[in-house]
Amino acid sequence: MFKFIPGILRTTGGLVLALSLCSQTGSIRQAFAEETDLAAESQSTGGKATPTASLQRLLDRYCVTCHNEELNTGSLRLDNIDIAHVTENGEIWEKVIHKLIAREMPPSDKPQPSKGAHNALLAHLVTTLDDAAVASPNPGRPAVHRLNNTEYTHAVRDLLALEINTDELLPTGATDFGFDNIADSLNMSPMLLERYMTAASKIARLAVGAMNIPPSSHIYASPKFVGQFERMGDEFSFGSRGGLSVQHHFPLDGEYMIRVDIDSPRSDQPDDLFQRSIAPEQLDVFLDGERIDGFNIEKPEKGRWNYRKNAFADDAAADKEDLANWWGIRTLEVRFPAKAGLHTVTASFVKRRLAYEGVRPRHYPEFYDYLGLLRNEEPSVKEFQIEGPFNVTGIGVDSASRQKIFSSYPTGTEDEVEAATDILSKLARRAYRRPVTAGEVDTLLNFFTKGQSSGGFEYGIQLALRRILVSPSFLYRVEAQPSDVASGDAFELSDLELASRLAFFLWSTIPDEELLGVAERGELRNPGVLEGQVHRMLADARSSESLVDNYAAQWLYLRNMEAVTPDVNIFPHFDGNLREAMRRETELFFASQIREDRGVPELLSANYTFLNQRLAEHYGIPGVYGSHFRRVDLDDPNRGGLMGQASIWTVTSYATRTSPVKRGKWILENILGSPPPPPPPNVPDLREPSKETGDLTMRQLFEQHRADPVCASCHVKMDPLGFALENFDAIGKWRTESSFGFALDTTGTMPDGTTIEGPAGLREVLRGNADEFTRIAVTKLLIYALGRGVEHYDQPAIRTIMRESASDDYRWSSVILGIIKSTPFQMRRAS
């Protein structure tokens, strides 16, 4: 039994409990016995009143009084539909179900039916609609689904063992329903098709290789606002500091050059604040973890850059030319041999102990430069440029891409067509996610022949590969409609289509060889096979990576972290390192929940997180050292689960202050599944605390704003949730008073009078709402899995997933398997 938030989700036990009540005629009548006048009316008819008649009278008494032709409250009418024919108005009744579960209908200030009558009505509506969904399924009809940029990138990686930067090749895609894989938003235009053709040409050339590939250069830049005073990640060697590490595809065997731009420190801080060491810096360059070169960078012993005056302070008679070489940007060059293929290139400094007097200044964002403030105390890698190939020695016959492509190789010209047929058939089968037809192979061979005649065997393969990469069968997830299915009827997807849905759902990529083979043999729906494949795929690291990066990061707004810009005057310690740490905490936490197969509600109740020193200091948690993340058990009830993580409360704040409205709205939408309606037009903005507002606190300003009845209807639900979180400032740091110096009042009162006290109190209330939180998580995950918005006819499937996974504590594996076995995932409706 769970106690839901009064006024929002007060129903004890929620939907799962309601479905277990009043499922038969006798229990409905028994429930209505609590309504004395209805019970008396039933007795006057000799107990022969039908359940639907009783339910209709209940609606007339408590609902139709507002939802009628005259008032039309909420643009919803119930006076012109019959509860005896629920399935004829399924969309309307699903809205009613949602309001009943949320206890938002009738409103708290109106007469309320008894709990038994409420549950009886809810159970009747749910049971009727769910039974109808089983008898006549409606799985929906998604649009033809073009691969989004992430899916395209992963598909190329798994098809050709080639990492590409899709951001450079294709325009950014649109989002809808909170996700970027919604089929209706993934349109094709002539310009985009041209970009796909250009991308295919470049990808095919890199994958196959060619001795005539000219030298080119690629610049990799360090994030602008990230300080380089610690080890930067697991790809950097121990004992290193700062730097940049990238994966770069080298097209041929040969020589390459790296030009490393060093960004030197500047400071106009008082000399007595710290004393800078004059020991030389050592920069090392690595290829796949092996050191290939290094440099010693000398500093001048005296003199410093006066950044405000844009001139050198030469009071110590330091040589200006030497100072200019040090205090500017200098470029270091490394020339080295490399084999064709994907390699990791790293440039980093050797970390050394610096002799500072007093407190060492922390790195500040780069946009402080225009203020003339401190930026870096030590040199950093600004960017590096990789150029080549020069002095080519080979085509890279052992590269991973060529091993993927050349499954066979001709011994002479007479064998080239046969080898090409074998190569292209296998590539097209993986790319199209199904066996290829003879006609499709002939089309590819035509391209091969054209390329072969002008550039030889490998150029023919390259040209045919370009054709594969722009084929609709590769770019689109095609689901064919059987010819014997009538218009509007539902039909099962083929095993191959189901395998494709499964792979793009869990991995955001094409099916691997095992899944494709099972589907080709028609065995995917055999008893135990589908479940086995799902568990195998969930055990693969690609599942947690994909679900975190593409599902959780969009559901929880983590992708918005890149765009937040806290005011540097109010939050001077916010920098790129903290931004990245905030996001990484939530990513690692969510991944651990999926990997360890925890229950979905534990996203709110977990008492652990992942921290590095930078974020631990931000939270005030001692004993965490170094830049690497590690699991940390939490004693502070305010920091447990998602509700204590700074990333959530940073993306729901303004640049200068917190926003109880944005935070409350985020909770209603993403935790409680009860989003408020859009604000009415011409609503005045909230007055900001200032000299003009006198001593009014933020809460008092909101109370003035809420005095308008038009505003109050929504703010009465949002504001208490947001005010309970005011201990977290606009970058998620704990505080006891506002940035304007006011003492914080973090109590919140819900519409029915229930009080929430602070983040810990809100967390406990939300933990008691496990059913509804799981429902919104399932709904969001179903949207992501289907690539379309959820409609009213999907609600029976969501309830089925909830019922079946409840017995397993809503574990992620049970929820995901429930989605995969659901009607909307397994079927589609004929056009």
Side-chain angles (χ1 to χ4, degrees):
M1 294 280 192
F2 302 105
K3 183 67 174 177
F4 290 177
I5 294 179
I8 296 181
L9 291 166
R10 189 175 52 189
T11 308
T12 304
L15 178 60
V16 173
L17 178 62
L19 297 179
S20 66
L21 298 173
C22 311
S23 59
Q24 298 179 358
T25 299
S27 56
I28 290 177
R29 285 176 175 158
Q30 184 178 359
F32 274 109
E34 299 180 34
E35 298 282 341
T36 56
D37 51 348
L38 292 177
E41 184 175 350
S42 177
Q43 292 175 359
S44 68
T45 60
K48 296 180 181 180
T50 64
T52 53
S54 299
L55 293 173
Q56 188 61 56
R57 288 191 291 275
L58 178 74
L59 284 170
D60 292 342
R61 167 178 285 191
Y62 295 105
C63 304
V64 175
T65 51
C66 294
H67 298 286
N68 53 56
E69 182 179 8
E70 182 178 354
L71 297 179
N72 196 26
T73 304
S75 300
L76 176 67
R77 289 183 57 188
L78 298 177
D79 60 330
N80 59 347
I81 59 176
D82 188 354
I83 199 169
H85 302 92
V86 171
T87 56
E88 294 178 3
N89 297 281
E91 184 172 3
I92 293 177
W93 291 118
E94 287 292 354
K95 293 179 181 178
V96 173
I97 287 172
H98 178 76
K99 294 295 184 180
L100 289 173
I101 293 174
R103 273 288 186 171
E104 293 179 351
M105 193 171 79
S108 57
D109 59 348
K110 301 292 183 180
Q112 301 290 317
S114 69
K115 183 170 66 176
H118 173 276
N119 285 341
L121 176 59
L122 179 60
H124 172 75
L125 295 175
V126 167
T127 302
T128 303
L129 290 171
D130 287 0
D131 289 348
V134 173
S136 181
N138 182 0
R141 187 173 61 248
V144 178
H145 194 135
R146 177 174 61 82
L147 304 189
N148 67 9
N149 286 6
T150 298
E151 294 164 341
Y152 182 85
T153 302
H154 291 175
V156 170
R157 177 199 64 195
D158 293 343
L159 179 67
L160 301 174
L162 183 66
E163 295 286 350
I164 61 172
N165 186 350
T166 313
D167 292 338
E168 296 179 352
L169 298 174
L170 301 173
T172 302
T175 61
D176 201 4
F177 298 100
F179 296 98
D180 62 2
N181 68 335
I182 303 302
D184 283 330
S185 298
L186 294 168
N187 303 313
M188 181 68 79
S189 66
M191 183 198 73
L192 181 56
L193 179 58
E194 188 173 322
R195 295 285 291 272
Y196 272 123
M197 295 176 69
T198 303
S201 178
K202 181 176 182 178
I203 291 167
R205 184 173 64 253
L206 291 174
V208 174
M211 292 295 287
N212 61 352
I213 293 179
S216 61
S217 64
H218 194 101
I219 296 176
Y220 298 95
S222 298
K224 288 184 178 180
F225 309 135
V226 173
Q228 298 186 19
F229 43 82
E230 296 289 351
R231 181 177 176 230
M232 302 298 288
D234 294 339
E235 63 272 28
F236 293 82
S237 61
F238 287 101
S240 68
R241 174 193 67 77
L244 179 62
S245 183
V246 301
Q247 286 192 316
H248 180 78
H249 183 83
F250 294 81
L252 297 171
D253 297 345
E255 289 187 355
Y256 294 84
M257 179 182 290
I258 299 179
R259 301 178 187 270
V260 186
D261 286 352
I262 305 300
D263 199 3
S264 303
R266 309 174 194 138
S267 175
D268 65 347
Q269 301 298 314
D271 290 335
D272 58 355
L273 179 62
F274 64 90
Q275 177 179 337
R276 195 181 301 279
S277 169
I278 61 172
E281 293 278 356
Q282 180 176 328
L283 177 75
D284 290 333
V285 180
F286 300 85
L287 182 69
D288 294 331
E290 296 292 330
R291 184 176 181 271
I292 57 176
D293 210 339
F295 304 89
N296 285 329
I297 307 172
E298 301 289 340
K299 294 183 180 180
E301 294 190 7
K302 296 181 180 180
R304 62 185 178 85
W305 179 254
N306 189 325
Y307 189 62
R308 290 176 188 258
K309 296 181 180 180
N310 197 29
F312 286 101
D314 57 355
D315 53 294
D319 183 87
K320 292 185 179 182
E321 183 176 354
D322 288 343
L323 281 172
N325 288 337
W326 168 242
W327 292 110
I329 296 176
R330 56 188 342 194
T331 300
L332 310 174
E333 294 183 357
V334 179
R335 199 175 182 100
F336 62 97
K339 293 286 188 180
L342 188 69
H343 298 282
T344 301
V345 181
T346 305
S348 62
F349 296 94
V350 174
K351 188 174 183 179
R352 57 187 176 78
R353 188 176 298 277
L354 300 177
Y356 288 107
E357 294 179 356
V359 179
R360 171 185 174 181
R362 181 170 292 285
H363 168 82
Y364 283 80
E366 188 165 335
F367 47 75
Y368 267 43
D369 280 2
Y370 79 93
L371 298 175
L373 300 178
L374 176 68
R375 182 166 56 136
N376 265 330
E377 305 93 66
E378 301 166 284
S380 60
V381 174
K382 180 179 178 64
E383 64 184 29
F384 59 66
Q385 180 175 338
I386 301 177
E387 301 180 23
F390 307 105
N391 301 324
V392 175
T393 59
I395 201 169
V397 294
D398 296 328
S399 72
S401 295
R402 287 180 61 88
Q403 291 178 9
K404 280 271 192 180
I405 294 169
F406 292 105
S407 55
S408 59
Y409 207 88
T411 57
T413 56
E414 66 278 1
D415 300 329
E416 288 186 350
V417 174
E418 181 181 350
T421 302
D422 178 69
I423 291 170
L424 298 176
S425 297
K426 291 178 178 178
L427 284 175
R429 169 182 170 272
R430 286 293 314 281
Y432 301 167
R433 287 88 71 183
R434 57 171 174 76
V436 291
T437 65
E440 289 170 327
V441 175
D442 289 342
T443 297
L444 297 176
L445 287 175
N446 288 337
F447 280 83
F448 164 77
T449 302
K450 183 180 296 185
Q452 179 196 35
S453 63
S454 60
F457 174 77
E458 292 197 357
Y459 184 67
I461 295 297
Q462 184 184 137
L463 206 60
L465 178 56
R466 288 166 58 182
R467 175 63 178 82
I468 289 174
L469 294 176
V470 295
S471 168
S473 295
F474 174 69
L475 295 178
Y476 287 92
R477 292 160 53 181
V478 179
E479 294 171 348
Q481 177 177 316
S483 58
D484 59 345
V485 176
S487 176
D489 285 354
F491 63 91
E492 279 191 343
L493 301 177
S494 70
D495 277 21
L496 288 164
E497 293 163 348
L498 180 60
S500 186
R501 276 198 182 188
L502 184 58
F504 282 106
F505 172 31
L506 297 183
W507 288 347
S508 296
T509 188
I510 59 178
D512 64 358
E513 187 60 42
E514 180 175 337
L515 179 59
L516 187 58
V518 169
E520 283 179 325
R521 295 190 296 272
E523 299 172 355
L524 189 54
R525 285 191 171 90
N526 288 359
V529 175
L530 181 61
E531 291 85 348
Q533 287 296 316
V534 170
H535 288 298
R536 178 184 71 85
M537 296 175 72
L538 286 175
D540 191 298
R542 284 178 292 181
S543 64
S544 58
E545 175 187 338
S546 177
L547 290 172
V548 168
D549 292 346
N550 303 312
Y551 163 60
Q554 296 187 83
W555 169 31
L556 303 175
Y557 300 178
L558 289 185
R559 291 187 179 182
N560 294 2
M561 278 299 297
E562 295 301 317
V564 297
T565 54
D567 189 294
V568 297
N569 296 302
I570 301 175
F571 306 104
H573 291 284
F574 184 88
D575 57 17
N577 303 68
L578 185 57
R579 180 199 307 273
E580 178 58 29
M582 288 177 179
R583 175 170 175 162
R584 191 65 182 143
E585 174 195 21
T586 306
E587 290 174 342
L588 290 171
F589 172 72
F590 204 101
S592 75
Q593 291 282 304
I594 295 175
R595 187 172 57 251
E596 297 169 18
D597 199 19
R598 302 295 187 107
V600 173
E602 196 172 320
L603 288 173
L604 300 178
S605 63
N607 60 356
Y608 73 91
T609 190
F610 292 83
L611 302 174
N612 66 356
Q613 182 175 349
R614 181 76 174 89
L615 190 56
E617 290 175 352
H618 186 67
Y619 287 171
I621 297 176
V624 179
Y625 303 102
S627 59
H628 66 285
F629 280 80
R630 79 295 311 266
R631 181 168 173 153
V632 176
D633 291 331
L634 298 171
D635 298 325
D636 183 356
N638 296 297
R639 284 292 178 192
L642 290 174
M643 305 304 290
Q645 296 181 6
S647 62
I648 305 297
W649 308 131
T650 301
V651 298
T652 52
S653 295
Y654 292 118
T656 57
R657 64 167 175 85
T658 61
S659 173
V661 171
K662 291 180 69 174
R663 290 177 172 182
K665 181 174 181 286
W666 185 91
I667 292 174
L668 288 176
E669 289 180 341
N670 297 288
I671 304 297
L672 299 175
S674 185
N682 302 321
V683 173
D685 292 334
L686 178 73
R687 296 167 63 200
E688 294 286 339
S690 64
K691 294 180 180 180
E692 287 73 21
T693 60
D695 294 330
L696 293 179
T697 65
M698 181 65 70
R699 179 183 288 271
Q700 290 169 331
L701 290 171
F702 269 99
E703 288 173 354
Q704 288 183 354
H705 183 74
R706 208 163 52 231
D708 185 342
V710 177
C711 302
S713 60
C714 293
H715 282 277
V716 73
K717 293 184 291 186
M718 291 188 295
D719 294 359
L721 300 172
F723 279 119
L725 295 163
E726 278 292 272
N727 284 124
F728 296 129
D729 70 10
I731 57 173
K733 189 173 184 178
W734 187 263
R735 62 179 182 171
T736 56
E737 62 179 34
S738 73
S739 55
F740 302 100
F742 297 122
L744 292 174
D745 178 4
T746 59
T747 60
T749 304
M750 299 308 297
D752 71 340
T754 300
T755 300
I756 304 171
E757 298 187 5
L762 175 60
R763 179 176 176 237
E764 287 304 308
V765 172
L766 295 178
R767 285 176 62 183
N769 188 25
D771 284 352
E772 193 58 22
F773 172 66
T774 302
R775 186 187 68 81
I776 190 63
V778 169
T779 301
K780 296 285 188 178
L781 190 56
L782 186 62
I783 293 172
Y784 174 75
L786 298 177
R788 65 168 175 84
V790 168
E791 304 292 345
H792 69 91
Y793 46 75
D794 297 310
Q795 296 303 321
I798 293 173
R799 289 190 285 266
T800 299
I801 296 166
M802 291 283 294
R803 283 194 294 266
E804 294 179 351
S805 60
S807 60
D808 197 26
D809 298 324
Y810 298 126
R811 294 185 183 276
W812 281 103
S813 61
S814 294
V815 168
I816 289 172
L817 187 59
I819 288 175
I820 291 168
K821 295 169 69 175
S822 70
T823 294
F825 194 89
Q826 295 258 340
M827 305 176 73
R828 67 179 291 136
R829 188 161 55 89
S831 60

